[in-house]
Amino acid sequence: MLAIFVSAAPAFSQADYFFPNSGRMNAAIPTPEQFLGYAIGTHHTRHDKIVEYFKELDRLSNRVKVQVIGETYEHRQQIAATFTSPDNHQRIEDIRKAHLAGQITGATENVPLVIQLGYNVHGNEPSSSEAAMLTAYYLTASENEETLKWLSGMVILMDPNINPDGRDRHSNWANMHKAFPPVSDPLDREHTEVWPGGRFNHYWFDLNRDWFLGVHPETRNRIRFVHQWRPYVQTDHHEMGTNSTFYFDPGKSSSNNPIVPDYLYNTIYPKFGQYFSEALNQIGSMYFTKEAFDKLYPGYGSSYINFYGGAGFLFEQGSSRGHVAETTTIPLTFAFTIRNQFISSLTTIRASLAEKPQLLKLRRDFYKATSDAAKKSSLKGYVFGDANDATRTNTFLDLLQLHEVDVYELENSVSTGGHRFEAGKAFYVPADQANYLVVRSLFEKAITYTDSLFYDASTWSVIHAFDLPYAELRTPLPKNKAASNVNTPAPVVEKSNYAYIFSVTDYNAHKAIYHIQKGGAFVQAAARPFSLHINGQNKNFGYGSISIPVHLQNLTPDSIYNLVASAGKIANIPIYSLHSGFNISGIDLGSNYMRTLKQPKVMMLVGVGIVPMEAGEVWHLLDQRVELPITKMDILNFGRADLSKYNSIIMVSGNYSLLDKAATDKLKQWVQNGGTLITIKTAAEWAIKNGFTKEKMFTPDTTLPKAPVRFNYDEAIEREGARSLGGSIFAADLDTTHPIGYGYTGRRISVYKNNQTFLQTGTNPYSTVLQYTANPLIGGYIHPATLQKFKNAASIVVGGEGAGRVIFFADNPNFRGAWYGTNKLFLNALFYNSMINVPVITE
């Protein structure tokens, strides 16, 4: 019977297939099929039609209310729907407030239970948004006693499409290549999306890694909505390989987050698992649990709520990758994948209400346990802030507040942990607060693991991603004034007839530089530090500081002033007016150490074989934070490109085998003629292997013979997987006098590494910009054998080639759009590369 259901589901009526034994349905409520004009599972539904259907349910029924919570980069609406009884809707705000008021005490026995269902965070995993429409219809139209009980006793929130831009990219692809009858061959064009595929958002980011980082508007809008309600249950529906079956929690027990109280893992997940298994047994669907998928990282949709005393559930469905796909057994239809997601949605609702006492206990005990832990800990809080970089400080503050962390202004300056934190420019985060676990996750660099295999990152200490000065406190500080974002406007620029100057320690410095260059002005950078007297005070300006002379320009003094003033306003950084070029120490403004910067003309190779996420991180950084246009050139077009239009070319990780010898020689010649090639991770390996430079990859010592060993076959995944580097944080020493190090005020920085690219230190003693420290591990897991590779290895090396240069990044400086601390290294490689010359060594 199962084979008939799977292969021929669309031929059955929608009600028989999706709603067997559902009881009476309100005929005034249109089914998705009636509204859309096609049967669910026979076509991929565009996001706008999903939105229209939900709004139609809102118009026709007093059980559902739809609200717009934001929009995506491509201006698609993000909606959230609330399903509950008409009586509950009449007092919905009172319910929300009562629900939130009882969070810590768990005293919400008489308040409707709040849960949230989330769908389709990966755009090319489309079955769940179709299931969301079925679930919405069922909750709106069903008149059976169980459904009415759900609506009376619950507030069911629904996010039907977490990634609208990605979904539409995939849906359009699947629909435009759909055949009649459908083709199941996995090599058919319908099943093989072109690069970058529909998984990602507009900038090719994986939104299911963004819950903790909060980089994108889709995520930030969704997090704000979650915190308006703080649901007890939150679901996250996905797809996986076609030959997989269906996954539901509990997951791999050794990969549970050790700081989350284990009642969730030991009681809630197994109990809910019984409901899921029973429901799937009834329809004959196969499934698995406990083998994979960790709950370590707080940034998944299925784990975020766990850090607020809730239960996050992950569902993974084998994907049809279109409308029907071959498997090792019988064909898998889109309709079948949708049905499993739909059944799991209804089962989540059923289990949540039935297990309400356990969910209330989960949250009540969670807050008690975390409060007790905070009070017992010798750690009383953290202080953070960089007086030289208000942008980076305020962005981290904004992230803390997005996650509802209590933060207070630092009322008095403090010296601790080797740093000086200035009042008004730093902040205090107490440990003793309701969201203690979130605080720990944001700041702690080391967590004890029970496993050495990781589905993703093994550390997520965001304070290190921002590389902000911070310190642990053993004595609490006053909590007199809650922090507000102190992104106060920069001082108004005064007009000068000589020059303007600004430091580049602030994260937004490159935005200001490019704005001025784009406006037609020449910009000069200091290759040596200097000090000068401004407004009655001596101010120090470090390496890379920017000067805009008024008269060495093709623009009028008034135009220069207007341009500089607007740059200061847009970047929100202080820009100073000078009336003399004579400095009190260091170089003067007319020195030969003041170098004119070239305006970046940037191209990046994209397309088949290239990692979309890394390319997207570069695109997003330049687009959203610098407002610098970048040409995203498909690798297939490289052969006919005029490279003279660009002074910088970027190659992120990927397989560049599509660049033949002629294309490779063309790129080499461009470098020799003065171009700057910036390579990241495996692209750096490609450039070295193809003879772009004399620099070399690091190779471990293999001279010692290894004794033959023998292991059980079944241990291979665990043994070899433990040697991979899923993602950890390492300390490195930065040459702050090198143009790539300009703007940094300290030599020690944190880098994120999730790869096996290791560079030898430069063949030239001046070309190793960033080198791992002797004891580099800051946080995360690393196998001892892998740790040995860091000894004497470099993270950034520059190779001078002819009139140009190749810059090698062993690590990704733009990881997930969140590594503000190393973004500056990458931006310096773009903006200051004309100042980079590898010195000639004299014997």
Side-chain angles (χ1 to χ4, degrees), residues 465-627:
F466 279 72
D467 209 35
L468 280 167
Y470 82 105
E472 299 177 351
L473 299 173
R474 303 298 165 180
T475 302
L477 297 179
K479 300 187 293 186
N480 295 327
K481 186 177 181 181
S484 59
N485 196 308
V486 293
N487 199 16
T488 54
V492 176
V493 180
E494 296 180 3
K495 189 173 182 179
S496 170
N497 285 317
Y498 189 80
Y500 301 94
I501 194 164
F502 61 89
S503 170
V504 292
T505 57
D506 192 276
Y507 184 86
N508 276 351
H510 301 88
K511 187 175 186 177
I513 295 171
Y514 185 74
H515 181 81
I516 295 168
Q517 290 177 324
K518 182 177 65 173
F522 293 109
V523 173
Q524 296 184 329
R528 292 286 190 277
F530 57 91
S531 299
L532 43 78
H533 201 69
I534 298 177
N535 299 329
Q537 293 182 325
N538 292 339
K539 287 188 176 292
N540 299 321
F541 289 85
Y543 291 94
S545 294
I546 296 299
S547 170
I548 304 96
V550 172
H551 294 291
L552 297 178
Q553 306 284 355
N554 294 321
L555 302 177
T556 66
D558 284 346
S559 296
I560 291 293
Y561 169 71
N562 291 332
L563 186 59
V564 170
S566 64
K569 184 176 181 180
I570 290 170
N572 200 32
I573 61 173
I575 299 179
Y576 302 98
S577 301
L578 301 181
H579 302 286
S580 170
F582 185 73
N583 297 332
I584 60 176
S585 66
I587 63 172
D588 294 320
L589 294 191
S591 166
N592 286 334
Y593 285 107
M594 297 298 297
R595 311 281 173 76
T596 301
L597 298 181
K598 293 181 180 180
Q599 181 178 336
K601 304 291 184 181
V602 187
M603 182 267 275
M604 175 174 59
L605 286 173
V606 301
V608 177
I610 296 168
V611 177
M613 288 180 289
E614 287 189 21
E617 289 157 3
V618 172
W619 179 22
H620 175 267
L621 172 66
L622 299 183
D623 223 37
Q624 291 289 315
R625 297 180 186 165
V626 187
E627 298 181 5

